[in-house]
Amino acid sequence: MKKHNFNAGPCVLPREAVESAIEAIRDFDNTGIGILEISHRTPGWERIMKETADLWRELLNIPDNYKVLFLGGGASTQFFHVPANLLNKKAAYLQTGVWAKKAAKEAKFYGDVEIVASSEDKNYSYVPKGYTIPTDVDYFHITTNNTIYGTEIHEDIDSPVTLIADMSSDILSRPVDVSKYGIIYGGAQKNVGPAGVTFVIVREDLLGKVDRKLQTMVDYRTHIGDAEKDRSMFNTPPVFSIFVMHETLKWVKNLGGLEAMHKLNKEKAELLYNEIDRNKMFVGTAAKEDRSLMNVCFVMAEEHKDKEAAFMDFAKAAGMVGIKGHRSVGGFRASIYNACPRESVEALVKCMQDFEKQF
Ligand SMILES: *Cc1c(COP(=O)(O)O)cnc(C)c1O
């Protein structure tokens, strides 16, 4: 039976990217050697690194004064790399979920942290608004999409201080005005590629301003290197993950780039939210104006709470994979990232309708 993959990350990848990865494992770039077995110091690999960076810059329209890095360690490593490189005295954080809270926790190793606003009071089911960003801080940190709770900051906000964003789960889902941010980072395994590569987009003039000494691997300047070809090559980069990222970026470009992606994503999300709002068995958990285009969270309606396990079984039997909600929200979460085809969303909607008909 056809499976519909709604995993939150790692998650569905474009079929084309998977197929070319399979081929590259057999034979990379007509070298007679597979991608898992090549040296990263070869012209073929240098070309992939350069093309990946070029495509990334093109799709996100990244200005020249920003450097792009593809590292290991995951977004969780950036939680401390960011403050290590930028935090002198104090930083401000918007606490919109567990990832944001974890990011703030790491910043406390380097200085004072002010939580500007938090939605923890309502289990992070909304994005706080009307807060004031302090001006006596080194930066203000936000999480643009809250993967676990299904809330999203849909606009590039204005900040009087350097704005830092964890965009792990919504980068490439819409056009972004990179010039409004000091650093954008995230793990690739939601919208960009497989697990193993972490992207960092950093405005270069922000670096080298902290008083502390930085370990070589923590200092972003190490990974920027002296020349284009040194970039993200200080140590062995996650070669295979970057290769699949390269193929994923080509797929995004072929579909028309981020404007086109955004349109498709809005259509998919609307389809599913409309069904949640219409169907008497289910309710959405996120505040409507903050609903994420990437992670759609819903639970059984109060009078149908006893049917949660039944719907889970029903959905599984219909080929739905990965719709169990995170334990801190419960219920269901359908992650409908870029690579999740519209037909999967349609199948889930039909499954919800079929389930409703039984009662
Ligand atoms: C998944 C996720 C993370 C954690 O990423 P790792 O690469 O596993 O460290 C951090 N922030 C957000 C918003 C996420 O969705």
Side-chain angles (χ1 to χ4, degrees), residues 3-30:
K3 299 286 184 189
H4 299 285
N5 184 354
F6 297 102
N7 277 317
C11 52
V12 62
L13 287 163
R15 197 63 226 166
E16 290 89 330
V18 173
E19 294 298 337
S20 43
I22 292 168
E23 182 48 37
I25 288 174
R26 291 202 183 91
D27 181 3
F28 168 64
D29 208 24
N30 296 317

mmCIF file of all heavy atoms in Angstrom, residues 3-30:
data_model
loop_
_atom_site.group_PDB
_atom_site.id
_atom_site.type_symbol
_atom_site.label_atom_id
_atom_site.label_comp_id
_atom_site.label_asym_id
_atom_site.label_seq_id
_atom_site.Cartn_x
_atom_site.Cartn_y
_atom_site.Cartn_z
ATOM 1 N N LYS A 3 2.343 4.559 1.167
ATOM 2 C CA LYS A 3 2.475 5.193 2.479
ATOM 3 C C LYS A 3 2.515 6.705 2.304
ATOM 4 O O LYS A 3 3.116 7.215 1.353
ATOM 5 C CB LYS A 3 3.769 4.744 3.160
ATOM 6 C CG LYS A 3 3.850 3.250 3.413
ATOM 7 C CD LYS A 3 2.969 2.815 4.556
ATOM 8 C CE LYS A 3 3.154 1.337 4.844
ATOM 9 N NZ LYS A 3 2.188 0.810 5.785
ATOM 10 N N HIS A 4 1.862 7.393 3.223
ATOM 11 C CA HIS A 4 1.905 8.856 3.233
ATOM 12 C C HIS A 4 2.702 9.280 4.460
ATOM 13 O O HIS A 4 2.283 9.045 5.587
ATOM 14 C CB HIS A 4 0.492 9.419 3.248
ATOM 15 C CG HIS A 4 -0.297 9.023 2.033
ATOM 16 N ND1 HIS A 4 -0.087 9.608 0.801
ATOM 17 C CD2 HIS A 4 -1.241 8.069 1.854
ATOM 18 C CE1 HIS A 4 -0.901 9.041 -0.091
ATOM 19 N NE2 HIS A 4 -1.613 8.105 0.518
ATOM 20 N N ASN A 5 3.855 9.893 4.214
ATOM 21 C CA ASN A 5 4.818 10.157 5.288
ATOM 22 C C ASN A 5 4.632 11.557 5.878
ATOM 23 O O ASN A 5 4.946 12.552 5.234
ATOM 24 C CB ASN A 5 6.233 9.987 4.714
ATOM 25 C CG ASN A 5 7.315 10.137 5.756
ATOM 26 O OD1 ASN A 5 7.043 10.477 6.911
ATOM 27 N ND2 ASN A 5 8.548 9.892 5.354
ATOM 28 N N PHE A 6 4.148 11.602 7.137
ATOM 29 C CA PHE A 6 3.947 12.885 7.826
ATOM 30 C C PHE A 6 4.921 13.043 8.986
ATOM 31 O O PHE A 6 4.653 13.779 9.933
ATOM 32 C CB PHE A 6 2.501 12.988 8.321
ATOM 33 C CG PHE A 6 1.484 12.992 7.214
ATOM 34 C CD1 PHE A 6 0.759 11.843 6.906
ATOM 35 C CD2 PHE A 6 1.251 14.138 6.468
ATOM 36 C CE1 PHE A 6 -0.182 11.844 5.877
ATOM 37 C CE2 PHE A 6 0.311 14.144 5.441
ATOM 38 C CZ PHE A 6 -0.410 12.990 5.141
ATOM 39 N N ASN A 7 6.042 12.345 8.939
ATOM 40 C CA ASN A 7 7.022 12.447 10.027
ATOM 41 C C ASN A 7 7.521 13.876 10.191
ATOM 42 O O ASN A 7 7.643 14.618 9.221
ATOM 43 C CB ASN A 7 8.204 11.510 9.751
ATOM 44 C CG ASN A 7 7.910 10.090 10.183
ATOM 45 O OD1 ASN A 7 7.346 9.868 11.261
ATOM 46 N ND2 ASN A 7 8.276 9.123 9.362
ATOM 47 N N ALA A 8 7.853 14.205 11.455
ATOM 48 C CA ALA A 8 8.234 15.589 11.781
ATOM 49 C C ALA A 8 9.699 15.896 11.478
ATOM 50 O O ALA A 8 10.104 17.051 11.467
ATOM 51 C CB ALA A 8 7.937 15.863 13.249
ATOM 52 N N GLY A 9 10.511 14.873 11.280
ATOM 53 C CA GLY A 9 11.916 15.105 10.942
ATOM 54 C C GLY A 9 12.824 14.162 11.690
ATOM 55 O O GLY A 9 12.702 14.097 12.902
ATOM 56 N N PRO A 10 13.666 13.413 10.977
ATOM 57 C CA PRO A 10 13.739 13.338 9.520
ATOM 58 C C PRO A 10 12.380 12.966 8.914
ATOM 59 O O PRO A 10 11.533 12.394 9.594
ATOM 60 C CB PRO A 10 14.783 12.253 9.259
ATOM 61 C CG PRO A 10 15.617 12.213 10.505
ATOM 62 C CD PRO A 10 14.672 12.560 11.609
ATOM 63 N N CYS A 11 12.226 13.302 7.664
ATOM 64 C CA CYS A 11 10.892 13.236 7.084
ATOM 65 C C CYS A 11 10.975 12.980 5.578
ATOM 66 O O CYS A 11 12.043 12.676 5.054
ATOM 67 C CB CYS A 11 10.176 14.541 7.365
ATOM 68 S SG CYS A 11 11.144 15.952 6.861
ATOM 69 N N VAL A 12 9.861 13.143 4.929
ATOM 70 C CA VAL A 12 9.787 12.870 3.495
ATOM 71 C C VAL A 12 10.757 13.781 2.713
ATOM 72 O O VAL A 12 10.944 14.952 3.051
ATOM 73 C CB VAL A 12 8.323 13.033 3.011
ATOM 74 C CG1 VAL A 12 7.816 14.451 3.214
ATOM 75 C CG2 VAL A 12 8.163 12.607 1.557
ATOM 76 N N LEU A 13 11.398 13.199 1.716
ATOM 77 C CA LEU A 13 12.285 13.950 0.821
ATOM 78 C C LEU A 13 11.705 13.891 -0.587
ATOM 79 O O LEU A 13 10.923 12.980 -0.896
ATOM 80 C CB LEU A 13 13.675 13.319 0.806
ATOM 81 C CG LEU A 13 14.530 13.514 2.062
ATOM 82 C CD1 LEU A 13 15.684 12.520 2.086
ATOM 83 C CD2 LEU A 13 15.059 14.937 2.120
ATOM 84 N N PRO A 14 12.087 14.820 -1.459
ATOM 85 C CA PRO A 14 11.616 14.721 -2.839
ATOM 86 C C PRO A 14 12.091 13.395 -3.447
ATOM 87 O O PRO A 14 13.250 13.019 -3.282
ATOM 88 C CB PRO A 14 12.287 15.899 -3.544
ATOM 89 C CG PRO A 14 12.705 16.824 -2.457
ATOM 90 C CD PRO A 14 12.954 15.981 -1.249
ATOM 91 N N ARG A 15 11.200 12.713 -4.131
ATOM 92 C CA ARG A 15 11.531 11.423 -4.739
ATOM 93 C C ARG A 15 12.776 11.535 -5.638
ATOM 94 O O ARG A 15 13.657 10.687 -5.640
ATOM 95 C CB ARG A 15 10.312 10.937 -5.547
ATOM 96 C CG ARG A 15 10.333 9.466 -5.902
ATOM 97 C CD ARG A 15 10.308 8.590 -4.674
ATOM 98 N NE ARG A 15 11.313 7.530 -4.804
ATOM 99 C CZ ARG A 15 11.733 6.760 -3.806
ATOM 100 N NH1 ARG A 15 11.235 6.918 -2.601
ATOM 101 N NH2 ARG A 15 12.633 5.830 -4.015
ATOM 102 N N GLU A 16 12.838 12.638 -6.396
ATOM 103 C CA GLU A 16 13.968 12.848 -7.320
ATOM 104 C C GLU A 16 15.294 12.879 -6.562
ATOM 105 O O GLU A 16 16.298 12.336 -7.035
ATOM 106 C CB GLU A 16 13.813 14.182 -8.078
ATOM 107 C CG GLU A 16 12.707 14.207 -9.099
ATOM 108 C CD GLU A 16 11.356 14.643 -8.525
ATOM 109 O OE1 GLU A 16 11.090 14.400 -7.316
ATOM 110 O OE2 GLU A 16 10.566 15.217 -9.285
ATOM 111 N N ALA A 17 15.294 13.514 -5.390
ATOM 112 C CA ALA A 17 16.521 13.615 -4.600
ATOM 113 C C ALA A 17 16.934 12.231 -4.106
ATOM 114 O O ALA A 17 18.123 11.888 -4.107
ATOM 115 C CB ALA A 17 16.320 14.575 -3.422
ATOM 116 N N VAL A 18 15.963 11.431 -3.703
ATOM 117 C CA VAL A 18 16.256 10.084 -3.223
ATOM 118 C C VAL A 18 16.815 9.233 -4.360
ATOM 119 O O VAL A 18 17.821 8.532 -4.190
ATOM 120 C CB VAL A 18 14.988 9.433 -2.617
ATOM 121 C CG1 VAL A 18 15.242 7.972 -2.261
ATOM 122 C CG2 VAL A 18 14.524 10.208 -1.390
ATOM 123 N N GLU A 19 16.192 9.329 -5.537
ATOM 124 C CA GLU A 19 16.660 8.539 -6.682
ATOM 125 C C GLU A 19 18.088 8.921 -7.058
ATOM 126 O O GLU A 19 18.924 8.043 -7.305
ATOM 127 C CB GLU A 19 15.733 8.727 -7.892
ATOM 128 C CG GLU A 19 14.322 8.179 -7.716
ATOM 129 C CD GLU A 19 14.254 6.669 -7.488
ATOM 130 O OE1 GLU A 19 15.214 5.965 -7.886
ATOM 131 O OE2 GLU A 19 13.268 6.200 -6.890
ATOM 132 N N SER A 20 18.407 10.217 -7.095
ATOM 133 C CA SER A 20 19.782 10.550 -7.492
ATOM 134 C C SER A 20 20.774 10.201 -6.390
ATOM 135 O O SER A 20 21.943 9.908 -6.683
ATOM 136 C CB SER A 20 19.952 11.990 -7.980
ATOM 137 O OG SER A 20 19.279 12.870 -7.192
ATOM 138 N N ALA A 21 20.309 10.166 -5.147
ATOM 139 C CA ALA A 21 21.194 9.719 -4.060
ATOM 140 C C ALA A 21 21.541 8.242 -4.232
ATOM 141 O O ALA A 21 22.694 7.839 -4.065
ATOM 142 C CB ALA A 21 20.533 9.970 -2.713
ATOM 143 N N ILE A 22 20.529 7.466 -4.598
ATOM 144 C CA ILE A 22 20.762 6.029 -4.814
ATOM 145 C C ILE A 22 21.799 5.827 -5.922
ATOM 146 O O ILE A 22 22.753 5.068 -5.778
ATOM 147 C CB ILE A 22 19.431 5.309 -5.161
ATOM 148 C CG1 ILE A 22 18.498 5.316 -3.942
ATOM 149 C CG2 ILE A 22 19.685 3.885 -5.654
ATOM 150 C CD1 ILE A 22 17.070 4.909 -4.245
ATOM 151 N N GLU A 23 21.613 6.569 -7.006
ATOM 152 C CA GLU A 23 22.544 6.465 -8.128
ATOM 153 C C GLU A 23 23.958 6.911 -7.704
ATOM 154 O O GLU A 23 24.951 6.267 -8.038
ATOM 155 C CB GLU A 23 22.029 7.318 -9.301
ATOM 156 C CG GLU A 23 22.864 7.281 -10.563
ATOM 157 C CD GLU A 23 23.252 5.857 -11.005
ATOM 158 O OE1 GLU A 23 22.428 4.930 -10.848
ATOM 159 O OE2 GLU A 23 24.402 5.684 -11.479
ATOM 160 N N ALA A 24 24.024 7.991 -6.922
ATOM 161 C CA ALA A 24 25.343 8.518 -6.508
ATOM 162 C C ALA A 24 26.061 7.580 -5.552
ATOM 163 O O ALA A 24 27.289 7.575 -5.487
ATOM 164 C CB ALA A 24 25.179 9.896 -5.877
ATOM 165 N N ILE A 25 25.298 6.794 -4.807
ATOM 166 C CA ILE A 25 25.944 5.805 -3.928
ATOM 167 C C ILE A 25 26.655 4.751 -4.792
ATOM 168 O O ILE A 25 27.743 4.295 -4.466
ATOM 169 C CB ILE A 25 24.916 5.147 -2.976
ATOM 170 C CG1 ILE A 25 24.473 6.151 -1.905
ATOM 171 C CG2 ILE A 25 25.503 3.899 -2.310
ATOM 172 C CD1 ILE A 25 23.360 5.665 -1.007
ATOM 173 N N ARG A 26 26.028 4.425 -5.917
ATOM 174 C CA ARG A 26 26.661 3.461 -6.834
ATOM 175 C C ARG A 26 27.846 4.076 -7.546
ATOM 176 O O ARG A 26 28.904 3.481 -7.655
ATOM 177 C CB ARG A 26 25.643 3.000 -7.887
ATOM 178 C CG ARG A 26 24.545 2.147 -7.332
ATOM 179 C CD ARG A 26 23.930 1.295 -8.453
ATOM 180 N NE ARG A 26 22.831 0.528 -7.896
ATOM 181 C CZ ARG A 26 21.565 0.951 -7.882
ATOM 182 N NH1 ARG A 26 21.242 2.103 -8.433
ATOM 183 N NH2 ARG A 26 20.622 0.221 -7.331
ATOM 184 N N ASP A 27 27.639 5.296 -8.050
ATOM 185 C CA ASP A 27 28.667 5.929 -8.874
ATOM 186 C C ASP A 27 28.466 7.441 -8.815
ATOM 187 O O ASP A 27 27.488 7.964 -9.349
ATOM 188 C CB ASP A 27 28.533 5.431 -10.326
ATOM 189 C CG ASP A 27 29.593 6.029 -11.246
ATOM 190 O OD1 ASP A 27 30.467 6.778 -10.755
ATOM 191 O OD2 ASP A 27 29.542 5.747 -12.456
ATOM 192 N N PHE A 28 29.410 8.116 -8.196
ATOM 193 C CA PHE A 28 29.299 9.565 -8.073
ATOM 194 C C PHE A 28 29.990 10.243 -9.252
ATOM 195 O O PHE A 28 31.184 10.021 -9.487
ATOM 196 C CB PHE A 28 29.920 10.039 -6.743
ATOM 197 C CG PHE A 28 30.098 11.531 -6.657
ATOM 198 C CD1 PHE A 28 28.990 12.378 -6.674
ATOM 199 C CD2 PHE A 28 31.365 12.099 -6.581
ATOM 200 C CE1 PHE A 28 29.149 13.762 -6.605
ATOM 201 C CE2 PHE A 28 31.528 13.479 -6.514
ATOM 202 C CZ PHE A 28 30.414 14.307 -6.532
ATOM 203 N N ASP A 29 29.227 11.018 -9.998
ATOM 204 C CA ASP A 29 29.825 11.911 -10.987
ATOM 205 C C ASP A 29 30.679 11.161 -12.029
ATOM 206 O O ASP A 29 31.721 11.655 -12.459
ATOM 207 C CB ASP A 29 30.723 12.919 -10.213
ATOM 208 C CG ASP A 29 30.849 14.254 -10.926
ATOM 209 O OD1 ASP A 29 29.953 14.587 -11.729
ATOM 210 O OD2 ASP A 29 31.850 14.954 -10.673
ATOM 211 N N ASN A 30 30.236 9.951 -12.397
ATOM 212 C CA ASN A 30 30.971 9.112 -13.365
ATOM 213 C C ASN A 30 32.430 8.872 -12.979
ATOM 214 O O ASN A 30 33.312 8.824 -13.840
ATOM 215 C CB ASN A 30 30.916 9.731 -14.768
ATOM 216 C CG ASN A 30 29.498 9.765 -15.297
ATOM 217 O OD1 ASN A 30 28.755 8.786 -15.152
ATOM 218 N ND2 ASN A 30 29.098 10.885 -15.865
#
